[in-house]
Amino acid sequence: HEHAKSGAVMQCTAGWDFIPSTQDRNVGIFNTVEVEWIVGVVRIKDAYVNILNVSDAGGEASAALPLGDDRHVSAWLELSVSAEVLGYGDEVIKGTFSYWITPSTNTSKILLRDIVKDVVFQSSAQEVPLGIVLLRDVKLWWPHTHSERQFQPLYRLYVQFRSEDGVAVHQTQAEFGVRTVSSYVHPRTKSFALKVNGHPIFLVGGNWVTTDQFLRFAGSKTRYLHELLLLRNAGFNCVRVWGGGISETDHFFESADSLGLLVYQEFWLTGDNNGRWAGRYDWPEDHGAMLENARDVIVRLRNHPSLAWYGGGNELYPLPSDDNRSEVSPPFTIEKELRSFLRCLDGSRPYITSSVTEIGDLFDSDRSLAPKDGPYGVLPVRSFYDRN
């Protein structure tokens, strides 16, 4: 259990009920490694498309957006990018940002274009707001259960910086889908429920641990696409990325975006190792390192339309109020900062602290998805009707 001390690690490498322990645990590099050549001293990254509001093509805002693959909508988008000055000294760097949006399947068709002039860098790194824009006549992203499309419509934002003297030129891009997501308390179950584009979604899904125990295929988009397609063909419209594994790769989320699968992404905490049944409630030992990793993950994943909500972890011990008692997981400081990060960096998605609590605990629909997990085993068909 002690490797949970380290924070953002794949906890199941210690062994779980579906795999034996992994030799050397989490040592080494997985996924792809890239070397980036930058012309000049300015690097731009983390282009962000925050969808503020979506209305039907006539401009009418409504609680529920129109169903149908042939329907079009308009969306207000807030665009921003991060910029980093490499080797920043006392010199002033000034330049122009240009940006444009295209369909991902037709990058020569420009739907919107604009520039931001006279941007001055005051520090080595800063956020650059590009503005709030109206993107007209676009298609909605839906879970595949609400669409006849094989692949869901996606769009691409391109951002380029050019310094005033023309020496520094750098470009980045981000793919996104147009949709809204929100949570509510279901009147019958009294627990977490989800809406996409204003429509309640009956979630049918399962648990995803990793693509394989040694992460040998974590760099293969084809592998992810095929495995997630198996889930879609089985009738799933939602996948839970379990807290004992990893925060999944860009290839995973790009595949889920295309296939119309909703994703529930948990952070790297479990009741098995973070105090509830074993280990310690105050683990990981370095809360700052855990939170830095969480911040990076939020920024990396926030453009993906498939990402429906975040979770603090697997089978933790969430309290029904902000109580600073020691026996609570996530630890109070981590829970508080996670919620703060999500409000500041990605205010577009719900967050739930834990997957479940237990029947004896005080159930709070803002803290856990359900009062109990299981049952684990074969059940008579009739019991599903009785339970649900």
Side-chain angles (χ1 to χ4, degrees), residues 9-243:
V9 297
M10 191 169 87
Q11 291 195 12
C12 65
T13 55
W16 223 268
D17 53 8
F18 56 91
I19 55 169
S21 62
T22 306
Q23 296 298 317
D24 298 325
R25 300 294 191 261
N26 293 286
V27 176
I29 296 173
F30 77 96
N31 210 340
T32 54
V33 176
E34 297 178 349
V35 176
E36 184 178 16
W37 180 266
I38 298 173
V39 178
V41 296
V42 176
R43 176 177 181 247
I44 58 175
K45 59 179 183 176
D46 301 333
Y48 178 36
V49 181
N50 183 19
I51 298 173
L52 301 175
N53 179 266
V54 182
S55 58
D56 65 30
E60 295 293 327
S62 62
L65 293 163
L67 288 162
D69 291 340
D70 58 341
R71 306 295 293 270
H72 289 71
V73 297
S74 297
W76 284 100
L77 313 176
E78 181 181 28
L79 310 179
S80 62
V81 70
S82 299
E84 179 183 12
V85 182
L86 308 175
Y88 181 78
D90 295 330
E91 70 275 15
V92 174
I93 297 175
K94 185 177 180 181
T96 297
F97 281 91
S98 56
Y99 63 86
W100 60 99
I101 295 175
T102 74
S104 290
T105 54
N106 184 4
T107 56
S108 63
K109 181 182 179 181
I110 297 177
L111 304 175
L112 183 149
R113 182 197 293 271
D114 207 346
I115 61 173
V116 180
K117 296 181 178 179
D118 301 326
V119 178
V120 178
F121 291 100
Q122 305 284 351
S123 62
S124 60
Q126 65 188 65
E127 299 294 314
V128 180
L130 301 176
I132 296 174
V133 301
L134 178 62
L135 187 62
R136 300 179 185 274
D137 198 31
V138 291
K139 297 177 181 178
L140 282 171
W141 186 96
W142 288 100
H144 75 92
T145 45
H146 289 63
S147 170
E148 297 297 323
R149 298 188 187 101
Q150 182 179 7
F151 300 110
Q152 290 303 304
L154 300 169
Y155 298 89
R156 195 164 292 171
L157 168 68
Y158 296 88
V159 183
Q160 183 183 81
F161 174 79
R162 183 178 294 272
S163 62
E164 197 172 47
D165 57 10
V167 173
V169 179
H170 195 236
Q171 180 172 310
T172 190
Q173 59 182 278
E175 194 168 59
F176 67 97
V178 177
R179 63 103 182 89
T180 65
V181 64
S182 61
S183 63
Y184 67 102
V185 177
H186 193 279
R188 182 176 177 186
T189 64
K190 310 298 182 186
S191 61
F192 178 94
L194 198 74
K195 289 184 179 182
V196 175
N197 298 328
H199 293 264
I201 306 295
F202 184 80
L203 298 173
V204 180
N207 206 46
W208 176 278
V209 286
T210 61
T211 185
D212 70 293
Q213 181 178 353
F214 300 102
L215 300 176
R216 294 165 296 176
F217 306 109
S220 171
K221 185 171 182 178
T222 300
R223 169 95 174 202
Y224 275 119
L225 185 66
H226 289 170
E227 292 194 338
L228 290 178
L229 185 59
L230 289 173
L231 300 184
R232 190 179 79 168
N233 290 344
F236 288 15
N237 63 7
C238 184
V239 181
R240 174 204 181 196
V241 180
W242 174 64

Side-chain angles (χ1 to χ4, degrees), residues 191-192 240 242-243 264-267 269-272 274 276-277 309-320 328-330 335 338-339 350-358 361-373:
S191 61
F192 178 94
R240 174 204 181 196
W242 174 64
Y264 157 36
Q265 172 70 63
E266 292 181 340
F267 293 103
L269 300 168
T270 71
D272 303 78
N274 291 91
R276 182 157 199 161
W277 293 292
W309 78 97
Y310 297 95
N314 168 61
E315 298 175 359
L316 303 177
Y317 187 65
L319 293 177
V328 55
S329 59
E335 169 76 353
L338 279 178
R339 289 180 178 267
Y351 167 81
I352 202 90
T353 306
S354 176
S355 56
V356 297
T357 50
E358 289 291 342
D361 296 337
L362 295 176
F363 176 68
D364 182 342
S365 61
D366 186 47
R367 299 283 179 171
S368 60
L369 292 179
K372 188 173 177 63
D373 59 350

